[in-house]
Amino acid sequence: MKETIIKVTVSDVRFPTSLEQHGSDAMHNDPDYSVAYVVIETDRGSRGYGLTFTLGKGTEIVVCAVEALSALVVGKALGDIVGDFRSFYRLLTSDGQMRWIGPEKGVIHLATAAVLNAVWDLWAKAEGKPLWKLLVDMDPKQLVSCIDFRYITDALTEEEALDILLKGQEGRQAREEQMLSEGYPAYTTSCAWIGYTDPQLKQLCTKALNCKWTRFKVKVGADLQDDIRRCRLIRETIGPDNTLMIDANQRWDVGEAIDWVTRLAEFKPLWIEEPTSPDDILGHATISKALAPLGIGVATGEQCHNRVMFKQLLQASALQFVQIDSCRLGSVNENLAVLLMACKFQVPVCPHAGGVGLCELVQHLILFDYISVSASLHNRMCEYVDHLHEHFKSPVLIRDACYMPPKDPGYSTEMKEESVRKYHYPQGEVWQGLRNQ
Ligand SMILES: C[C@H](O)[C@@H](O)CC(=O)C(=O)O
Ligand SMILES: [Mg+2]
């Protein structure tokens, strides 16, 4: 008898991070880091956990979208899904009626990510491996069979993807051992949210330096004079040799982005992240071209809808750092497509993480990227944000500013039951308590 999915449940779980300005930036001044949290159950009593990340309000809409998709999932056998994962991905993203509210973008795609993340967690647990290891051990042909190449064959064919993966087999064992002993390099965003005061920035950077962090990201874009002051303070604190990145979270028009970043060039940022609308591919190309002589690259991806957008950003030389996101793209399936395109276009991948759960998930993808795809650490690092890990059963492990490969089976997506209960919105005790204040 095949193991069959019999139930999908979804919860709205929110954390009141806005109370202390954690996660704040030039466009999102009061985020409450939240998830639509999915639990898939099988007839054998196994469970897969998945999530997608939101900023609070609107999570209930993602929950509705997950409920709509769940009809496509219940009754399916795990073996059939993973035996032809591409078709299952298509089933979820190309439903003749539901695709109208996407396709492969917005709320419905966030919901797709949450559901598929749960399926990958279930699969990795069934194999008794952490997800990164499931991917690393998988036959390249099977990996390719998980990817929907529709709309990207002009940039990457199935054959090219297979070639990249076959090439990635060389030296794989040594890279896996290297990751297990050294970990994957990370940078921190936790020191410099836009709502933090100057003394807070200084204190957090100093503390991070003591914990061996060497790469720091600061939020910019609301006020130029504030940015100059904050970047100066951070550069003075971290010194000239450590790495600084700046993140505007889509605040500017194209010309404004170029002018503003030029004013911040003296602080030697490695990249400007999300300088303008995430949909403006040609705008990103213009900014990239203008900033190249200053040695500043453009990074984007945390709000890049899908593989098609990434394809165009790569084709247009519109970004110098690809920021995949485990919960915005269509789960591992679509992230594999982007990792392989980035490899072909020779653009480094530096994943977006943070939020709630994003570090837990994306570490698996970037470990796989290094071990089996890019084989390079040059100009590569994974974001880290030091919030909310205590709510996960297998939280990330950071050692000397590196992600240490997870060992527990699954996709590190499972949250503690007590956390889900307490932070459930709006009936959980934390939200009831805040309401009564
Ligand atoms: C609203 C989020 O905290 C956002 O600022 C995160 C982000 O841009 C990043 O981590 O990068
Ligand atoms: Mg960002």
Side-chain angles (χ1 to χ4, degrees), residues 23 25 28 33 55 193 217 219 247 249 273 302 352-353 383:
D25 63 51
H28 314 101
Y33 279 178
L55 297 189
W193 299 113
K217 189 162 85 185
K219 294 290 175 179
D247 185 357
N249 289 88
E273 179 171 324
E302 67 185 69
H352 172 237
E383 183 171 15

Tab-separated table of all heavy atoms in Angstrom, residues 23 25 28 33 55 193 217 219 247 249 273 302 352-353 383, ligand 1:
chain	number	residue	atom	x	y	z
A	23	GLY	N	13.396	43.714	12.187
A	23	GLY	CA	12.942	43.487	10.812
A	23	GLY	C	12.514	44.736	10.070
A	23	GLY	O	12.076	44.651	8.925
A	25	ASP	N	12.543	48.161	7.887
A	25	ASP	CA	13.351	48.717	6.795
A	25	ASP	C	12.640	49.921	6.223
A	25	ASP	O	11.617	50.361	6.757
A	25	ASP	CB	13.638	47.633	5.740
A	25	ASP	CG	12.374	47.103	5.067
A	25	ASP	OD1	11.564	47.922	4.595
A	25	ASP	OD2	12.196	45.868	4.992
A	28	HIS	N	9.074	48.698	5.102
A	28	HIS	CA	8.274	47.869	6.022
A	28	HIS	C	8.661	48.298	7.437
A	28	HIS	O	9.609	47.759	8.006
A	28	HIS	CB	8.572	46.381	5.796
A	28	HIS	CG	8.576	45.992	4.335
A	28	HIS	ND1	9.726	45.827	3.605
A	28	HIS	CD2	7.547	45.790	3.483
A	28	HIS	CE1	9.406	45.516	2.344
A	28	HIS	NE2	8.092	45.496	2.253
A	33	TYR	N	6.825	39.439	12.090
A	33	TYR	CA	7.266	38.243	11.363
A	33	TYR	C	6.268	37.100	11.601
A	33	TYR	O	5.969	36.755	12.748
A	33	TYR	CB	8.655	37.817	11.828
A	33	TYR	CG	9.802	38.597	11.188
A	33	TYR	CD1	11.112	38.328	11.568
A	33	TYR	CD2	9.582	39.557	10.204
A	33	TYR	CE1	12.181	39.006	10.987
A	33	TYR	CE2	10.648	40.225	9.617
A	33	TYR	CZ	11.935	39.959	10.013
A	33	TYR	OH	12.989	40.614	9.433
A	55	LEU	N	4.510	39.240	6.672
A	55	LEU	CA	4.830	40.295	7.645
A	55	LEU	C	3.669	40.591	8.598
A	55	LEU	O	3.606	41.669	9.175
A	55	LEU	CB	5.236	41.580	6.913
A	55	LEU	CG	6.501	41.527	6.051
A	55	LEU	CD1	6.892	42.921	5.574
A	55	LEU	CD2	7.673	40.877	6.785
A	193	TRP	N	18.739	47.081	11.677
A	193	TRP	CA	17.393	47.372	11.162
A	193	TRP	C	17.171	48.876	11.210
A	193	TRP	O	17.769	49.575	12.040
A	193	TRP	CB	16.330	46.648	11.996
A	193	TRP	CG	16.451	45.155	11.974
A	193	TRP	CD1	16.779	44.342	13.013
A	193	TRP	CD2	16.257	44.295	10.841
A	193	TRP	NE1	16.806	43.022	12.604
A	193	TRP	CE2	16.489	42.967	11.269
A	193	TRP	CE3	15.913	44.502	9.498
A	193	TRP	CZ2	16.389	41.859	10.420
A	193	TRP	CZ3	15.810	43.404	8.659
A	193	TRP	CH2	16.039	42.104	9.114
A	217	LYS	N	24.989	43.727	7.083
A	217	LYS	CA	24.086	44.450	6.167
A	217	LYS	C	23.317	45.514	6.942
A	217	LYS	O	22.852	45.261	8.051
A	217	LYS	CB	23.113	43.471	5.506
A	217	LYS	CG	22.300	44.107	4.384
A	217	LYS	CD	21.685	43.050	3.478
A	217	LYS	CE	20.383	42.542	4.020
A	217	LYS	NZ	19.832	41.430	3.212
A	219	LYS	N	20.276	48.615	6.746
A	219	LYS	CA	19.103	49.113	6.034
A	219	LYS	C	19.274	50.590	5.711
A	219	LYS	O	19.700	51.374	6.568
A	219	LYS	CB	17.858	48.922	6.909
A	219	LYS	CG	17.530	47.480	7.148
A	219	LYS	CD	17.041	46.825	5.889
A	219	LYS	CE	16.808	45.355	6.068
A	219	LYS	NZ	16.302	44.703	4.854
A	247	ASP	N	20.788	47.788	1.973
A	247	ASP	CA	19.512	47.214	1.520
A	247	ASP	C	18.431	48.298	1.581
A	247	ASP	O	18.115	48.800	2.662
A	247	ASP	CB	19.151	46.036	2.446
A	247	ASP	CG	17.919	45.283	1.995
A	247	ASP	OD1	17.290	45.682	1.000
A	247	ASP	OD2	17.578	44.275	2.653
A	249	ASN	N	15.253	47.915	0.170
A	249	ASN	CA	13.902	47.328	0.135
A	249	ASN	C	12.945	48.040	-0.825
A	249	ASN	O	11.815	48.360	-0.474
A	249	ASN	CB	13.318	47.253	1.547
A	249	ASN	CG	14.022	46.193	2.378
A	249	ASN	OD1	15.037	46.488	3.023
A	249	ASN	ND2	13.552	44.974	2.337
A	273	GLU	N	21.000	46.281	-2.243
A	273	GLU	CA	19.952	45.263	-2.374
A	273	GLU	C	18.602	45.929	-2.617
A	273	GLU	O	18.286	46.936	-1.990
A	273	GLU	CB	19.939	44.460	-1.074
A	273	GLU	CG	18.898	43.374	-0.996
A	273	GLU	CD	19.143	42.501	0.239
A	273	GLU	OE1	20.329	42.263	0.595
A	273	GLU	OE2	18.162	42.077	0.859
A	302	GLU	N	14.473	38.616	-2.921
A	302	GLU	CA	13.549	38.213	-1.855
A	302	GLU	C	12.094	38.447	-2.231
A	302	GLU	O	11.198	37.814	-1.683
A	302	GLU	CB	13.903	38.878	-0.521
A	302	GLU	CG	13.708	40.366	-0.472
A	302	GLU	CD	14.188	40.979	0.845
A	302	GLU	OE1	15.402	40.994	1.078
A	302	GLU	OE2	13.343	41.416	1.641
A	352	HIS	N	18.445	35.013	0.478
A	352	HIS	CA	17.726	35.801	1.473
A	352	HIS	C	17.293	34.849	2.585
A	352	HIS	O	16.786	33.753	2.321
A	352	HIS	CB	16.476	36.439	0.842
A	352	HIS	CG	15.585	37.104	1.847
A	352	HIS	ND1	14.259	36.773	2.007
A	352	HIS	CD2	15.844	38.072	2.763
A	352	HIS	CE1	13.734	37.520	2.962
A	352	HIS	NE2	14.668	38.314	3.443
A	353	ALA	N	17.524	35.263	3.815
A	353	ALA	CA	17.075	34.456	4.955
A	353	ALA	C	16.508	35.406	6.002
A	353	ALA	O	16.108	36.520	5.670
A	353	ALA	CB	18.225	33.624	5.497
A	383	GLU	N	22.504	34.912	4.165
A	383	GLU	CA	22.042	35.849	5.197
A	383	GLU	C	21.706	35.115	6.497
A	383	GLU	O	21.260	33.960	6.484
A	383	GLU	CB	20.790	36.586	4.695
A	383	GLU	CG	20.288	37.627	5.686
A	383	GLU	CD	19.192	38.507	5.114
A	383	GLU	OE1	18.614	38.158	4.063
A	383	GLU	OE2	18.917	39.557	5.743
B	1	LIG	C1	10.747	43.190	6.255
B	1	LIG	C2	11.956	42.318	6.299
B	1	LIG	O1	12.495	42.310	7.597
B	1	LIG	C3	13.023	42.760	5.309
B	1	LIG	O2	13.572	43.995	5.714
B	1	LIG	C4	14.087	41.707	5.223
B	1	LIG	C5	15.151	41.995	4.251
B	1	LIG	O3	15.064	42.830	3.376
B	1	LIG	C6	16.392	41.213	4.308
B	1	LIG	O4	16.539	40.410	5.230
B	1	LIG	O5	17.200	41.398	3.425
